[in-house]
Amino acid sequence: MATTGMREKFQGLYFGDGPEARRFRYGLVGFDLATIGLFFIAPFGGHQPWMIALDLALGILLSVEFGVRLWVQRRPLRHLISISSAADLIVILSLLLPVFVENLAFLRIARALRLLRSYHLLRDLRRDSEWFRRNEDIIQRTVNLGVFIFIVTSVVYVTQHNINPHLATYIDALYFTITTLTTTGFGDITLTGPGGRLLAVIIMVVGVSLFLRLLQAIFRPNKVRFECPSCALLVHDIDAVHCKHCGIVLQIPNEGI
């Protein structure tokens, strides 16, 4: 009976609409942001005992939170095979398996995939923040771009830092990734070995296609969020004159650019 009551309590916190539930979910997002910040500075701490202890403590906390979240799901198996769960499991393994701490250190950034990907978090932000409602598309695209850059950088770092003297730190890998994705290619840092060259080719191809499209989606979006006064359709082409759903004439504010 007590177990059932506890489960219902946590279900209310994870899925409820009340102020306490929203504060709880915002607290989880704050915790995610704090752990991501720690993941950024972790490589600079090396393998000091306090860093290992911090990793283990974070791993235990994340494991408990993941277990509770799985426990309160109405369809736990479906949640377990979701992208956000896979990202969390990668993070937890990289924290709890010391043999992988160095090589997989920056795969922990995968936890950022949870940010702004929860339906309930999006619902809370739409309700509580007018600024978020106005800029939701740009915020989500910026998060996607940031996660994409750091995941690519982590692959470069993991595969090269032990064999390439030019890639001794994560900052070196980030510098190489950005110059390659933007096709700037200064050439002062290159990847070694056949695998490294193949990885560089993949990054260049991705840079020409996906990376530039993500940038364009942020700075030159082809859609605009505006609620149709007739049918309430929210997303329209940026140069739309009529609503594509009901045909009413739209008066979308624009700067004529």
Side-chain angles (χ1 to χ4, degrees):
M1 201 72 174
T3 302
T4 303
M6 183 68 69
R7 187 170 187 266
E8 291 177 351
K9 171 68 173 177
F10 277 106
Q11 282 180 333
L13 291 175
Y14 275 98
F15 309 118
D17 294 322
E20 184 182 6
R22 291 203 296 274
R23 286 194 297 268
F24 173 77
R25 291 194 291 267
Y26 283 138
L28 288 179
V29 175
F31 177 71
D32 283 345
L33 290 171
T35 55
I36 290 170
L38 288 173
F39 295 160
F40 279 125
I41 66 172
F44 300 101
H47 289 279
Q48 300 296 325
W50 68 270
M51 284 298 304
I52 297 175
L54 180 61
D55 279 351
L56 290 174
L58 280 176
I60 292 171
L61 284 174
L62 295 182
S63 299
V64 171
E65 193 273 331
F66 180 81
V68 171
R69 183 156 32 92
L70 190 63
W71 178 48
V72 301
Q73 294 292 326
R74 294 174 178 85
R75 302 178 66 180
L77 182 59
R78 181 176 179 180
H79 179 74
L80 184 62
I81 61 177
S82 66
I83 293 177
S84 63
S85 293
D88 285 347
L89 288 173
I90 290 172
V91 172
I92 291 169
L93 288 175
S94 71
L95 287 165
L96 296 180
L97 300 179
V99 68
F100 294 122
V101 164
E102 182 179 2
N103 287 340
L104 295 184
F106 274 91
L107 290 180
R108 295 178 242 177
I109 194 64
R111 191 167 177 82
L113 293 170
R114 285 191 57 200
L115 298 180
L116 302 182
R117 280 304 174 196
S118 165
Y119 168 77
H120 298 282
L121 174 60
L122 289 174
R123 185 182 63 186
D124 292 342
L125 288 172
R126 291 188 189 111
R127 177 192 297 135
D128 299 339
S129 173
E130 181 182 351
W131 178 83
F132 179 82
R133 290 195 296 271
R134 289 198 312 267
N135 301 282
E136 179 180 348
D137 291 337
I138 293 178
I139 292 171
Q140 291 204 57
R141 291 164 182 169
T142 302
V143 171
N144 290 338
L145 178 63
V147 171
F148 169 74
I149 289 173
F150 286 109
I151 291 296
V152 173
T153 303
S154 71
V155 173
V156 173
Y157 179 75
V158 166
T159 58
Q160 288 284 308
H161 82 284
N162 283 329
I163 62 175
N164 192 335
H166 298 296
L167 283 166
T169 68
Y170 185 77
I171 301 301
D172 295 333
L174 179 62
Y175 168 75
F176 171 83
T177 300
I178 295 297
T179 57
T180 306
L181 285 173
T182 57
T183 68
T184 304
F186 292 119
D188 52 339
I189 296 180
T190 58
L191 303 188
T192 61
R197 293 186 178 90
L198 180 60
L199 178 59
V201 169
I202 294 173
I203 293 175
M204 284 184 275
V205 172
V206 170
V208 171
S209 54
L210 180 59
F211 178 72
L212 295 180
R213 287 179 64 85
L214 284 172
L215 285 178
Q216 185 181 35
I218 293 173
F219 295 107
R220 295 179 57 190
N222 59 359
K223 298 288 183 180
V224 62
R225 184 173 290 270
F226 178 81
E227 183 173 352
C228 174
S230 177
C231 69
L233 183 67
L234 282 177
V235 179
H236 307 272
D237 293 333
I238 200 167
D239 58 349
V241 177
H242 298 85
C243 175
K244 66 173 59 177
H245 184 262
C246 68
I248 192 174
V249 175
L250 298 173
Q251 296 182 358
I252 302 175
N254 66 79
E255 299 176 353
I257 300 176

